[in-house]
Amino acid sequence: MTYSIYFMALLAMYPLSGILGQNNSEEIFEYEFYNGYVTTVYMERSVAGVPQYYWAEFHMPICLDELCNPMDLTVKWDLLGGFLDYKEFGHDPLTKFDHKPFDSDDHVKLKSILRNQASILQDYNMEDLVDTSRLVYSNEVDGMTGATSKTFDTEVVSGAVYTCFALWNVVNGSVKDKLRDHTIGIMNESLALEMLQSQNRDYGRYFLGQRHPLSKAMEKEVLEMVYTEDEYMAIRAIDRLGADFWTQKNHIAQLISDFSAFSNPVKNAIYARMREVSMSQDGLLELILALKGGDDIGKYDVYRVLIIHKNELGHSGRKQLEEYLLGIKDEWGLEEYRLIEELTINIDNQ
């Protein structure tokens, strides 16, 4: 049975809208997937018209050595081409060796496999997955057939090596880049904000990797990433905040007030960024007031920031800094003397 006839037969059994329940689908392009199978890729939009995800239907048999497993699924990708989920058709579930249906654990494992874009499956052909020196009996062919190679035991669902291999290549093939490129091509403010506000960390990583200026609304979302438990993402978010962000007194005050919530690597990234960018007199004053108030900040790190920005310190900042230094005069060490020298602070007559 050819793919086109096979598809039409399935479509007659399960009308498209009834299977998928899609309400705001837009046809994007036809694409040739694994082993020459062609199907249409759609984009699903929200009621407001904002893109949500991509999806496609697959009705294809997966065969090798006279063994065939049907693969009748709806596959979903996120807006950057990452695998989201698949959905079986009611009367055509995924099956394993000798057409035994997948159980719940099998589905969990398969979805984990499909999310692993670095799977070793990308480095092999389907023929490599079978160890012909280890034979098992198949009722389907009424004879012996090769067993799954032990190399792939952890990379596939037991008894479903062909399905895992084929579906991994469907999901993680070159279509990923095409979907990503399509999203980038239609990117606008509303789509960017929706992606940033989602729980999809890959979206956050994507925007943190871009260098174009952020709108105020997008900057607010990037600031939220500074508070994530993912230190790597938090540090990248700090770097991504535009130079103008660091000149705003309220932004510096917010970071200082929340310093105790940050890990040391994140704190260090904040200090490093403060040394790199321009800072306003008001922002520097917030740092000095935090020193005077005994806030949870690293005084030596703040000293280095103040030295870098000594020309922007201002009269009020210098006055507050002098008061701070006089208050801890009995504790002066090398770093305090260096600060006094670098900022040419004269407090001998205070």
Side-chain angles (χ1 to χ4, degrees):
M1 181 180 292
T2 66
Y3 283 142
S4 59
I5 297 175
Y6 186 78
F7 173 77
M8 293 304 294
L10 266 293
L11 189 58
M13 293 172 63
Y14 311 108
L16 187 66
S17 60
I19 296 173
L20 299 174
Q22 313 292 347
N23 298 314
N24 297 284
S25 298
E26 172 189 346
E27 184 175 327
I28 303 301
F29 50 74
E30 286 197 344
Y31 201 74
E32 183 176 322
F33 287 86
Y34 173 77
N35 208 24
Y37 180 81
V38 177
T39 190
T40 302
V41 176
Y42 297 85
M43 172 185 283
E44 189 71 11
R45 294 180 179 269
S46 67
V47 174
V50 180
Q52 301 295 296
Y53 58 85
Y54 296 100
W55 62 272
E57 280 193 15
F58 294 88
H59 303 282
M60 52 190 294
I62 309 301
C63 302
L64 188 69
D65 292 339
E66 300 183 71
L67 293 176
C68 292
N69 284 328
M71 192 177 79
D72 300 300
L73 297 169
T74 301
V75 175
K76 291 170 59 175
W77 295 266
D78 68 24
L79 294 172
L80 294 178
F83 170 72
L84 283 178
D85 201 1
Y86 63 72
K87 181 179 178 181
E88 296 174 291
F89 289 79
H91 299 290
D92 290 287
L94 289 176
T95 58
K96 300 183 289 185
F97 188 70
D98 276 345
H99 296 303
K100 181 180 178 181
F102 274 42
D103 60 28
S104 58
D105 289 340
D106 294 330
H107 285 296
V108 169
K109 183 172 183 178
L110 177 55
K111 290 178 182 181
S112 175
I113 291 167
L114 298 178
R115 292 188 183 100
N116 178 16
Q117 297 184 20
S119 170
I120 64 172
L121 293 177
Q122 66 186 308
D123 299 320
Y124 293 86
N125 297 316
M126 185 181 284
E127 292 79 6
D128 300 324
L129 309 182
V130 176
D131 182 358
T132 54
S133 68
R134 298 169 56 234
L135 299 179
V136 294
Y137 181 78
S138 168
N139 288 319
E140 183 178 356
V141 297
D142 193 21
M144 305 300 288
T145 187
T148 302
S149 171
K150 290 187 177 296
T151 302
F152 305 98
D153 279 350
T154 60
E155 297 294 324
V156 298
V157 174
S158 179
V161 58
Y162 302 154
T163 297
C164 293
F165 180 84
L167 190 52
W168 189 92
N169 279 278
V170 162
V171 166
N172 292 290
S174 57
V175 72
K176 297 199 315 294
D177 294 332
K178 193 169 179 65
L179 296 174
R180 179 189 178 101
D181 290 344
H182 184 270
T183 297
I184 293 171
I186 62 172
M187 189 70 68
N188 56 29
E189 178 81 359
S190 61
L191 177 55
L193 281 175
E194 180 127 344
M195 292 174 72
L196 280 169
Q197 291 166 355
S198 76
Q199 299 301 309
N200 190 323
R201 292 190 174 219
D202 289 336
Y203 292 170
R205 293 188 183 98
Y206 167 75
F207 284 104
L208 293 180
Q210 304 304 300
R211 304 316 304 172
H212 53 74
L214 297 171
S215 68
K216 291 298 181 183
M218 293 175 67
E219 186 177 76
K220 180 180 178 181
E221 298 302 326
V222 171
L223 178 58
E224 289 295 320
M225 295 182 199
V226 176
Y227 293 83
T228 180
E229 294 181 359
D230 184 335
E231 289 182 351
Y232 175 74
M233 181 172 282
I235 291 169
R236 291 192 65 188
I238 291 164
D239 182 61
R240 186 68 178 88
L241 291 168
D244 182 63
F245 172 90
W246 302 94
T247 66
Q248 305 300 310
K249 173 184 176 180
N250 61 316
H251 291 156
I252 304 303
Q254 178 182 345
L255 290 175
I256 292 172
S257 68
D258 295 331
F259 241 58
S260 60
F262 301 133
S263 66
N264 285 332
V266 175
K267 291 177 182 178
N268 292 336
I270 292 173
Y271 294 131
R273 189 71 172 130
M274 286 179 172
R275 294 195 296 269
E276 294 171 352
V277 298
S278 297
M279 292 188 66
S280 66
Q281 292 183 12
D282 288 341
L284 294 171
L285 180 59
E286 288 294 327
L287 287 174
I288 296 168
L289 292 175
L291 284 176
K292 289 185 67 177
D295 290 3
D296 181 24
I297 59 174
K299 66 177 182 179
Y300 299 140
D301 293 294
V302 174
Y303 292 173
R304 286 189 276 276
V305 172
L306 296 177
I307 290 171
I308 290 290
H309 298 291
K310 59 186 178 183
N311 294 329
E312 290 78 42
L313 196 54
H315 175 74
S316 180
R318 283 181 170 273
K319 182 175 177 59
Q320 293 293 334
L321 185 57
E322 290 171 4
E323 292 179 5
Y324 160 73
L325 288 168
L326 284 171
I328 63 164
K329 192 169 184 178
D330 293 340
E331 304 171 17
W332 284 4
L334 182 62
E335 293 291 340
E336 280 75 22
Y337 282 108
R338 181 186 174 211
L339 179 66
I340 292 168
E341 180 181 0
E342 290 283 351
L343 272 62
T344 61
I345 295 175
N346 183 5
I347 57 176
D348 292 336
N349 299 321
Q350 297 290 327

